[in-house]
Structures are given as structure tokens and as C-alpha cells.
Amino acid sequence: MGCAEGVLMVGQYYPPCPEPELTYAISEHADSCFLTVLIQDQVGGLQVLHENQWVDVHPELLSEHNPPVYRETALRDYLTHFYGKGLAGTSALSHFRI
């Protein structure tokens, strides 16, 4: 039927580290997916680079006061753009911004 074509789900789990002072966080990167779901605890962790500052993300749903900032797109179109732009450490989302 093709309804699941291009569907991919990746799960990550990072258990608490007994010696966090000896570890490093993941380096800055752009996710390849169009949607990232992060279940956070009291530590948090998801940040975005906004105006050269790393800012904590507190996920919010769309509303009248919080309208979408990206145009609707198909996963296939997003992935085509993402893999076509190359790995420059830049987000593919700017291409879809309203």
C-alpha cells in the first residue's frame, strides 16, 4: 500500500551515569527527523541554537497564540531535502519555515 514507505523510528535511552563528571554530552547536531519526541526528567537536556545561544526547549502544542512556524510537508519531501543538502551541521527545517 505504500503508507509506511519511508517511515523510520529511532529510540535512544541514556541511563543515569554514576560518574557524570567523567562524561561528555552529545555534540551539537541537526536531527534528520521532522519530529523529535524527548521524554525528559528533572535534568532536561533538549536545547536549540537560537541567535548564537543554546536555549532549553520546553515543548508546547500549537494554539491560536502559538501558531505553526513551518509549512506542512510530506516525510518523503523532508528527507529528500535533508539528504540532498549535505552534512554541514545546519538544520533542514529552515527550508520549510513559513
Side-chain angles (χ1 to χ4, degrees):
M1 290 180 18
C3 64
E5 185 177 327
V7 174
L8 173 68
M9 182 174 170
V10 176
Q12 304 284 347
Y13 172 68
Y14 301 100
C17 179
E19 299 180 82
E21 67 279 357
L22 299 178
T23 64
Y24 295 99
I26 190 168
S27 64
E28 63 183 65
H29 65 280
D31 289 352
S32 62
C33 57
F34 72 97
L35 175 65
T36 297
V37 177
L38 177 68
I39 301 172
Q40 299 191 86
D41 56 14
Q42 67 278 8
V43 176
L46 181 61
Q47 294 182 319
V48 295
L49 186 60
H50 179 69
E51 297 179 356
N52 293 322
Q53 295 280 342
W54 286 103
V55 179
D56 291 334
V57 173
H58 306 285
E60 297 177 13
L61 298 176
L62 299 177
S63 70
E64 181 179 322
H65 301 291
N66 193 27
V69 293
Y70 298 99
R71 64 183 165 89
E72 187 174 321
T73 188
L75 176 59
R76 178 179 307 167
D77 296 336
Y78 176 81
L79 290 176
T80 298
H81 175 72
F82 180 84
Y83 291 115
K85 74 173 188 61
L87 298 175
T90 58
S91 173
L93 289 177
S94 60
H95 178 75
F96 300 95
R97 193 160 184 82
I98 294 175

